[in-house]
Amino acid sequence: MKRFLWLLVLLLALPAHAHAVDLTLEAPSALLMEKITGEVLYAKNEHEQLEPASVTKVMTLLLTMEAIEKGSVSYDDVVTVSAYAASMGGSNVYLAEGEQITVEELIKAVCVASGNDASVALAEHVAGVTELFVEQMNNRARELGMNDTHFVNCHGLPAEGHVSSAWDIALMSRQLILHHPDLRRFTTIWMDSLRGGEFELANTNKLIRFYDGATGLKTGSTSSAGYCISATAEREGMELIAVVLHGSTSQQRFEDAKTMLNYGFSTYTLHNVEPSEPLPLLPVHLGEEDSIALQFPSTGRQVLLPKSQISSLTQEISLPEQVEAPIGAGQQLGTLTVRSGEHVVLELPLLAAQAVEKLTWGEMFRRMLLSTFLLQ
């Protein structure tokens, strides 16, 4: 409960940056989000329900990676391609019915070539049938708060009622890259091959080659959805997610994504809070130890700020004169407050580094006798 409360304080302390600038974008719907904090830096019609095309596959990849993490699926699993998977149109890697291919190769085919056939093969391997997989997609979307989204398939080909939004795509993209960083070894591939070099792959995301720091993530396009992308890039330890929906051309979606990414990298920084001076020992009353060391929490120490604010940051430590035993390890004993001018940008709890038990009556009597003896 205490951890929840200080995380809530952290979230409430973060400044709202969405819509803070009017970027010139051609796309009707777009959003820029930072990965660690989940903070939105720019948004335009972010909740408009639109067709996501193959950006749908972000959820397909997320469910696959979560299955791998749980151990129900392995990279080395060999998948036998079904007739249904082999029948997929649109972008594909020409899987043949009965062909055997590993989960790892299928993930590569989805990330690099946006293979619809590979997406279906993964879905069938994870859930047995695509209908059940799509149900899992929608369940996961609800868990993530993707209230603008309804999935009808696992690949993104046009289907009645298959919609999402820039906001929702950013949510699932963040979940994927935040908790499954191993996927980057696929999403950063520019050119590769399948079937032992027999089938060449080229990444549909041209930013991977032409944008400094690009890390992924997924493109999509159909005649009705237009040109879409969830583009991720990292510089100086900060990774951003730029979502573009219904772009007019392939190149224009990349330009819109770059505009947002350039804005984010030039304007903001992910600042890791460290104490400006060593944390003091806190005296303990009636404890087995006379004092206790303090420590920061292991997470929640990063805050997203405009670069212009970094030089103005100040810190203030609030602690009692002493604390009374017993004290539990990890118990909050004080607070470190970070401000930019008068604005509080972060409050971090100062935690007990170890437990300190309360003195027993017997131990207090022993210490009193020892003290009396030493004074004689």
Side-chain angles (χ1 to χ4, degrees):
M1 178 59 72
K2 290 178 180 176
R3 182 173 183 272
F4 171 78
L5 289 175
W6 74 256
L7 281 173
L8 181 60
V9 170
L10 165 63
L11 291 173
L12 292 175
L14 290 174
H17 295 298
H19 306 282
V21 67
D22 186 17
L23 299 179
T24 303
L25 300 183
E26 184 273 345
S29 179
L31 184 138
L32 179 67
M33 177 182 284
E34 192 278 320
K35 178 184 73 174
I36 296 296
T37 64
E39 192 168 349
V40 175
L41 304 181
Y42 173 82
K44 175 184 179 183
N45 299 325
E46 65 273 25
H47 289 291
E48 184 177 356
Q49 290 184 306
L50 296 167
E51 292 182 56
S54 282
V55 182
T56 296
K57 296 183 178 85
V58 171
M59 181 60 80
T60 301
L61 290 167
L62 176 59
L63 291 183
T64 300
M65 296 303 291
E66 289 178 343
I68 291 173
E69 183 180 48
K70 287 185 285 190
S72 58
V73 171
S74 166
Y75 281 126
D76 297 327
D77 287 353
V78 176
V79 177
T80 301
V81 178
S82 70
Y84 178 61
S87 71
M88 287 296 104
S91 58
N92 57 62
V93 292
Y94 304 102
L95 297 177
E97 181 182 357
E99 179 179 353
Q100 293 192 315
I101 186 169
T102 65
V103 165
E104 182 162 350
E105 292 283 271
L106 288 171
I107 292 173
K108 185 199 297 185
V110 171
C111 292
V112 180
S114 194
N116 294 326
D117 47 1
S119 296
V120 172
L122 280 175
E124 291 176 338
H125 185 67
V126 171
V129 293
T130 55
E131 291 82 1
L132 181 56
F133 188 82
V134 172
E135 182 179 334
Q136 293 175 3
M137 292 172 72
N138 285 309
N139 289 340
R140 194 71 178 97
R142 283 190 291 272
E143 291 171 357
L144 293 174
M146 296 169 58
N147 299 322
D148 307 321
T149 297
H150 179 255
F151 294 116
V152 177
N153 58 54
C154 64
H155 41 68
L157 288 172
E160 183 70 27
H162 187 93
V163 293
S164 190
S165 68
W167 181 280
D168 285 4
I169 288 169
L171 288 179
M172 67 177 177
S173 298
R174 176 178 181 253
Q175 187 74 14
L176 181 59
I177 65 175
L178 182 62
H179 297 288
H180 305 282
D182 189 50
L183 195 73
R184 186 182 289 193
R185 65 188 177 96
F186 301 102
T187 59
T188 54
I189 292 171
W190 173 237
M191 299 192 73
D192 207 323
S193 62
L194 294 174
R195 304 180 182 99
E198 294 180 6
F199 186 82
E200 297 295 326
L201 299 175
N203 205 318
T204 58
N205 181 6
K206 306 310 176 189
L207 297 179
I208 294 300
R209 182 176 181 184
F210 298 109
Y211 188 79
D212 179 33
T215 57
L217 181 63
K218 192 69 203 71
T219 61
S221 65
T222 65
S223 58
S224 54
Y227 293 88
C228 311
I229 189 170
S230 178
T232 57
E234 182 175 14
R235 293 181 186 174
E236 299 179 350
M238 180 175 71
E239 191 164 14
L240 300 178
I241 304 160
V243 179
V244 175
L245 291 182
H246 219 279
S248 59
T249 67
S250 177
Q251 185 58 34
Q252 188 59 53
R253 69 175 161 188
F254 295 132
E255 293 302 321
D256 283 351
K258 287 194 292 184
T259 295
M260 287 190 286
L261 292 170
N262 287 341
Y263 163 68
F265 287 128
S266 65
T267 307
Y268 294 96
T269 185
L270 195 60
H271 180 67
N272 191 56
V273 175
E274 299 288 349
S276 56
E277 55 188 39
L279 295 174
L281 292 175
L282 191 58
V284 177
H285 180 57
L286 296 178
E288 291 185 350
E289 303 290 338
D290 294 330
S291 62
I292 189 168
L294 300 170
Q295 65 182 13
F296 271 174
S298 58
T299 59
R301 295 168 56 177
Q302 292 179 303
V303 60
L304 189 69
L305 291 170
K307 290 181 177 180
S308 60
Q309 289 186 10
I310 294 300
S311 61
S312 67
L313 294 181
T314 59
Q315 294 184 6
E316 177 184 337
I317 290 179
S318 176
L319 289 170
E321 291 186 3
Q322 66 176 6
V323 288
E324 184 141 351
I327 301 164
Q331 179 179 330
Q332 181 172 351
L333 302 177
T335 305
L336 183 141
T337 302
V338 181
R339 289 185 174 88
S340 175
E342 296 299 315
H343 178 67
V344 175
V345 297
L346 184 64
E347 286 189 347
L348 281 176
L350 298 178
L351 311 175
Q354 73 278 342
V356 176
E357 297 298 329
K358 188 171 185 175
L359 283 175
T360 63
W361 285 106
E363 179 62 17
M364 282 191 283
F365 183 68
R366 188 189 72 80
R367 291 190 182 188
M368 183 181 67
L369 289 177
L370 180 61
S371 176
T372 302
F373 175 77
L374 291 175
L375 289 173
Q376 290 178 351

